[in-house]
């Protein structure tokens, strides 16, 4: 009787572990602004993060006024309703500085 229950527990654990390994990740994918490649005149928008008066670069070390060392490994922000006058350039999206550098948007059109 005890041997049967140990086998039952063993098979139950085996099924649970097998199920956990077979399930795909439920992690949300980031939405990144990726406009089409422009042809003709282009409108270019760039973003340059700064730390104080210096241009900020990821993974670089900066010193605060109090003497603390800080390092930025990620800079991301969401955009919504980005317009040039009445023309909608991007309805929404995520800007990822590590992936895009300073280039926020480049589309066909006059500035």
């Amino acid at each position: 009787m005890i041997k049967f229950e140990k086998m039952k527990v063993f098979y139950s654990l085996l099924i649970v572990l097998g199920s956990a390994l077979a399930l795909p990740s439920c992690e949300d994918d980031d939405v990144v602004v990726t406009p089409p490649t422009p042809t003709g005149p282009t409108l270019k928008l760039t973003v340059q993060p700064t730390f104080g008066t210096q241009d900020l670069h990821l993974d670089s070390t900066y010193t605060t006024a109090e003497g603390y060392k800080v390092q930025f490994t990620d800079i991301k922000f969401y955009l919504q309703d980005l317009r040039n006058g009445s023309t909608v350039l991007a309805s929404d999206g995520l800007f990822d500085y590590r992936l895009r550098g300073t280039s926020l948007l480049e589309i066909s059109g006059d500035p």
Side-chain angles (χ1 to χ4, degrees), residues 66-105:
E66 296 82 13
Y68 296 107
K69 303 279 185 196
V70 294
Q71 188 178 63
F72 298 91
T73 58
D74 248 354
I75 297 177
K76 296 179 183 180
F77 61 88
Y78 286 98
L79 298 169
Q80 183 177 6
D81 198 25
L82 185 61
R83 295 175 177 260
N84 180 17
S86 62
T87 305
V88 176
L89 303 175
S91 58
D92 58 14
L94 173 69
F95 177 80
D96 187 335
Y97 186 57
R98 183 165 302 279
L99 294 177
R100 299 192 52 90
T102 60
S103 178
L104 175 65
L105 186 69

Side-chain angles (χ1 to χ4, degrees), residues 49-72:
T50 59
F51 185 84
T53 57
Q54 304 173 37
D55 287 348
L56 188 141
H57 300 283
L58 293 180
D59 303 318
S60 294
T61 303
Y62 298 92
T63 306
T64 67
E66 296 82 13
Y68 296 107
K69 303 279 185 196
V70 294
Q71 188 178 63
F72 298 91

